């Protein structure tokens, strides 16, 4: 049974239709890679899933709950719960520069606890800190807990951003070209961390240009072109035996990303 | 020597008034400017358009004129618009307090207009990614602004803000035009009554010292916010 279901997602910017009806579903714990040329709609799809853009039409269903439903007329509202079902790691990290690494992780859970209970007690605070320290260990940055983002390399910043996104335990963790802003020698550390996060409970969606990585880490791959899913399948099917001409052309470098 | 001490004590009195005008203007204009910047950035035209007009007028006319307007207008309105309840030239020959308040109001709205544009520049310079990162972490718009954006804005606007604030302490001398006994007013009295010009220069020294102090304070604040890059 599918855990995430996306039905007929459409998004227009003015007269330009960027997503022309996207349908896909994922099982719990699956890793989905989304590949395709720049301007094809990959990032827009991810932004719609994270409600940074509001899709004009379509449905997003998690488990048996419809968290988003738009019919093209009125603007749908997004609940906090729906928002927190998704976590997002940005291409540009977007850490909060004035907070130390550990505070970047703790800020959102602290504010959430505060708004739920009115004020935050020591026990809750300790629990949040412990979780943050655990996640920093997961991404291998325990010794940087008190550093500020400007003191970290791009790769380290992105690992902090991943830990921060995990703090609220989202059902689905999304990555928007997580290594595109990094020097080639720094991409490896980030990709290793993402790979290590793969387990049966964690569903992930990764928009990436790292084909080798997509092939190694994902359970399923979607190739998007011109706002539509052109081809969908296992990494073997897409990378070794692509059926569509567009996919073949893209993978052979005919649509090279410069 | 006795004269020098007398001059100093008078000038010090004047400086206290100047400083009060300065400090109270900051206390009211800093938050008011932020509110005004929210209006000028608002998507709602009924907030944005009038506020842009107000900022245009406040920045587009001399501060001295605004001081006169605020000081005299209530009296004029009293005289011409509501003569039936005419209570005389309400503001004209009243106490020091009302003159001080008139000057203060003029300074507050004028400086709030300038501050609002500095805030706007600062707020608009923060990358969209900061707001989006806050949103995906489930923060409310208010939390994003106060917990994430504001301190970054403060860091960025300190240089233009300190410029404006240094201008403010010197602009307080304009209050002497409606006989608020500030520093320049006191120094001018020595000139007109006793024919002494040096107290005016001594008054300049007061401003210079105070601006020196402000420069040190702003330098310290900048240094304090040096720990992060925004």
């Amino acid at each position: 049974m599918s855990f995430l279901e996306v039905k007929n997602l459409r998004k227009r910017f003015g007269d330009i239709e960027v997503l022309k009806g996207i349908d896909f579903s994922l099982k719990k714990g699956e890793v989905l890679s989304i590949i395709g040329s720049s301007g094809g709609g990959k990032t827009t799809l991810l932004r719609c899933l994270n409600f940074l853009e509001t899709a004009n039409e379509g449905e997003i269903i998690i488990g048996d709950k419809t968290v988003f439903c738009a019919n093209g007329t009125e603007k749908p509202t997004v609940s906090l719960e729906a928002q927190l079902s998704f976590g997002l790691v940005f291409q540009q990290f977007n850490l909060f520069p004035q907070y130390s690494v550990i505070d970047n992780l703790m800020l959102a859970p602290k504010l959430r606890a505060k708004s739920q209970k009115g004020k935050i007690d020591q026990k809750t605070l300790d629990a949040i800190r412990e979780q943050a320290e655990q996640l920093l260990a997961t991404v291998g940055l325990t010794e940087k807990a008190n550093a500020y983002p400007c003191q970290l390399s791009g790769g380290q910043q992105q690992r902090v951003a991943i830990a921060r996104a995990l703090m609220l335990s989202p059902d689905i963790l999304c990555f928007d070209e997580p290594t595109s802003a990094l020097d080639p020698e720094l991409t490896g550390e980030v990709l290793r961390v993402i790979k290590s996060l793969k387990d049966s409970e964690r569903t992930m969606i990764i928009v990436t240009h790292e084909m080798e990585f997509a092939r190694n880490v994902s359970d399923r791959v979607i190739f998007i072109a011109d706002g539509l899913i052109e081809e969908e399948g296992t990494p073997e099917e897409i990378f070794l035996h692509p059926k569509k001409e567009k996919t073949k052309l893209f993978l052979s470098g005919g649509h090279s990303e410069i | 020597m006795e004269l020098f001490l007398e001059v100093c004590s008078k000038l010090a009195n004047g400086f206290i008034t100047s400083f009060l005008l300065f400090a109270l203007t900051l206390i009211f204009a800093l938050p008011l400017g932020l509110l005004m910047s929210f209006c000028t950035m608002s998507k709602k035209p009924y907030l944005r358009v009038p506020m842009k007009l107000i900022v245009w007028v406040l920045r587009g006319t001399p501060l001295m004129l605004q001081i006169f307007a605020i000081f005299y207008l209530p009296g004029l309105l009293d005289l011409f618009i509501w003569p039936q309840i005419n209570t005389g030239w309400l503001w004209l020959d009243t106490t020091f307090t009302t003159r001080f308040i008139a000057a203060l109001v003029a300074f507050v709205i004028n400086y709030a207009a300038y501050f609002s544009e500095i805030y706007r520049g600062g707020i608009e310079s923060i990358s969209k990614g900061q707001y989006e990162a806050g949103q995906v972490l489930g923060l409310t718009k208010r939390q994003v602004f106060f917990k994430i954006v504001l301190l970054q804005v403060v860091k960025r606007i300190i240089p233009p803000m300190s410029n404006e604030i240094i201008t403010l302490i010197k602009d307080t001398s304009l209050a002497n035009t409606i006989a608020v006994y500030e520093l320049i007013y006191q120094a001018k009295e020595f000139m007109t009554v006793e024919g002494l010009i040096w107290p005016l220069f001594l008054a300049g020294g007061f401003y210079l010292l105070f601006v020196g102090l402000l420069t040190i304070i702003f330098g310290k604040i900048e240094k304090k916010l040096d720990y992060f890059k925004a």
Side-chain angles (χ1 to χ4, degrees):
Chain A
M1 144 149 190
S2 57
F3 177 61
L4 168 71
E5 212 174 334
V6 174
K7 285 185 189 165
N8 190 33
L9 212 61
R10 287 171 183 272
K11 175 66 187 173
R12 267 187 312 276
F13 293 109
D15 290 336
I16 303 161
E17 193 165 35
V18 181
L19 297 180
K20 298 170 181 165
I22 299 281
D23 296 86
F24 70 89
S25 59
L26 273 182
K27 293 198 188 76
K28 201 174 178 96
E30 269 189 326
V31 176
L32 169 74
S33 286
I34 302 177
I35 60 170
S37 322
S38 297
K42 306 183 300 285
T43 294
T44 304
L45 170 59
L46 211 56
R47 289 173 62 84
C48 284
L49 289 179
N50 281 277
F51 310 111
L52 292 175
E53 307 287 353
T54 309
N56 300 104
E57 277 177 61
E59 270 181 77
I60 301 171
I61 302 157
I62 297 178
D64 49 8
K65 250 193 206 151
T66 302
V67 297
F68 177 88
C69 181
N71 51 19
T73 49
E74 57 197 294
K75 204 175 170 182
T77 51
V78 174
S79 69
L80 181 63
E81 197 192 351
Q83 178 75 64
L84 293 177
S85 305
F86 291 92
L88 177 62
V89 174
F90 296 85
Q91 185 176 354
Q92 300 291 346
F93 333 132
N94 293 335
L95 295 181
F96 307 132
Q98 73 268 42
Y99 292 111
S100 65
V101 164
I102 192 99
D103 287 336
N104 258 280
L105 266 65
M106 290 171 62
L107 179 71
K110 257 164 56 180
L111 289 175
R112 198 163 146 65
K114 223 180 207 173
S115 60
Q116 277 170 344
K117 295 175 192 164
K119 115 176 176 248
I120 191 163
D121 54 41
Q122 195 57 40
K123 215 175 120 193
T124 318
L125 201 62
D126 289 343
I128 294 172
R129 182 173 292 277
E130 195 180 324
Q131 189 199 357
E133 281 164 355
Q134 268 171 14
L135 282 170
L136 277 185
T138 309
V139 299
L141 286 171
T142 303
E143 78 282 8
K144 296 287 185 190
N146 295 313
Y148 286 91
C150 63
Q151 300 165 319
L152 305 178
S153 73
Q156 290 171 332
Q157 289 191 48
Q158 192 61 300
R159 280 144 69 193
V160 174
I162 293 170
R164 183 178 70 178
L166 288 169
M167 280 299 285
L168 294 163
S169 318
D171 295 316
I172 296 141
L173 185 57
C174 303
F175 296 85
D176 184 14
E177 302 187 25
T179 59
S180 294
L182 297 175
D183 292 334
E185 69 263 30
L186 298 176
T187 56
E189 56 181 275
V190 172
L191 296 181
R192 267 194 300 280
V193 165
I194 298 174
K195 206 170 168 183
S196 74
L197 294 177
K198 198 176 162 174
D199 70 32
S200 58
E201 284 300 297
R202 196 170 279 131
T203 313
M204 298 200 275
I205 300 177
I206 307 168
V207 167
T208 185
H209 292 297
E210 302 279 340
M211 296 304 146
E212 198 48 45
F213 171 73
R215 197 173 147 178
N216 285 331
V217 80
S218 38
D219 302 299
R220 294 154 55 67
V221 178
I222 284 177
F223 171 64
I224 289 189
D226 300 326
L228 283 169
I229 293 182
E230 195 66 29
E231 198 166 344
E232 174 176 6
T234 63
E236 288 75 34
E237 286 167 348
I238 299 290
F239 289 107
L240 300 177
H241 314 289
K243 292 191 192 80
K244 299 275 182 70
E245 277 312 308
K246 274 189 186 170
T247 320
K248 284 180 195 166
L249 191 66
F250 173 74
L251 290 171
S252 67
H255 269 260
S256 67
E257 312 273 337
I258 298 169
Chain B
M1 193 62 200
E2 212 173 289
L3 178 67
F4 181 74
L5 287 179
E6 193 200 325
V7 169
C8 278
S9 108
K10 273 261 172 101
L11 291 188
N13 263 332
F15 180 74
I16 289 172
T17 306
S18 294
F19 177 76
L20 259 176
L21 197 52
F22 167 83
L24 289 172
T25 300
L26 280 189
I27 288 172
F28 292 113
L30 283 172
L32 181 63
L34 188 59
L35 267 177
M36 286 166 75
S37 77
F38 288 150
C39 291
T40 50
M41 288 184 291
S42 171
K43 284 188 187 127
K44 299 172 182 123
Y46 60 87
L47 286 176
R48 189 182 64 242
V49 175
M51 192 48 78
K52 286 207 159 180
L53 270 174
I54 289 170
V55 170
W56 173 56
V57 171
L58 288 173
R59 296 200 308 167
T61 57
L63 177 52
M64 198 194 282
L65 195 64
Q66 291 166 26
I67 295 172
F68 284 144
I70 293 197
F71 182 51
Y72 291 115
L73 262 184
L76 292 173
L77 288 179
D78 204 19
L79 196 67
F80 295 114
I81 314 273
W82 304 290
Q84 66 276 30
I85 51 158
N86 187 2
T87 52
W89 289 72
L90 191 63
W91 291 70
L92 254 185
D93 54 356
T94 44
T95 59
F96 171 75
T97 316
T98 43
R99 292 197 303 271
F100 182 85
I101 289 174
L104 178 63
V105 169
F107 276 101
V108 168
I109 58 169
N110 181 273
Y111 269 81
Y114 281 98
F115 290 162
S116 78
E117 284 298 281
I118 295 177
Y119 284 125
R120 187 174 66 84
I123 291 170
E124 287 179 350
S125 75
I126 302 298
S127 86
K128 227 174 102 196
Q130 293 288 307
Y131 294 91
E132 292 183 346
Q135 188 194 324
V136 295
L137 289 168
L139 271 57
T140 61
K141 279 192 173 146
R142 177 183 282 264
Q143 287 171 332
V144 169
F145 184 77
F146 286 104
K147 298 284 176 181
I148 298 171
V149 174
L150 188 59
L151 192 63
Q152 296 180 47
V153 171
V154 168
K155 182 180 164 88
R156 285 186 191 192
I157 66 174
I158 281 178
M161 221 31 148
S162 57
N163 242 344
E164 212 53 55
I165 289 172
I166 282 171
T167 307
L168 170 61
I169 184 67
K170 291 170 294 171
D171 270 0
T172 55
S173 61
L174 286 172
N176 90 77
T177 53
I178 55 168
V180 171
Y181 310 135
E182 48 67 62
L183 185 50
I184 289 290
Y185 188 94
Q186 300 284 13
K188 254 173 53 185
E189 273 222 319
F190 285 104
M191 193 167 73
T192 48
V193 177
E194 307 194 31
L196 295 172
I197 190 132
W198 60 266
L200 264 175
F201 296 111
L202 191 58
F206 272 80
Y207 288 110
L208 204 54
L209 271 180
F210 189 67
V211 168
L213 186 70
L214 284 178
T215 309
I216 291 170
I217 291 173
F218 282 117
K220 286 225 156 110
I221 297 176
E222 269 187 55
K223 212 159 184 183
K224 211 166 173 192
L225 292 175
D226 233 12
Y227 72 94
F228 73 92
K229 286 202 179 75

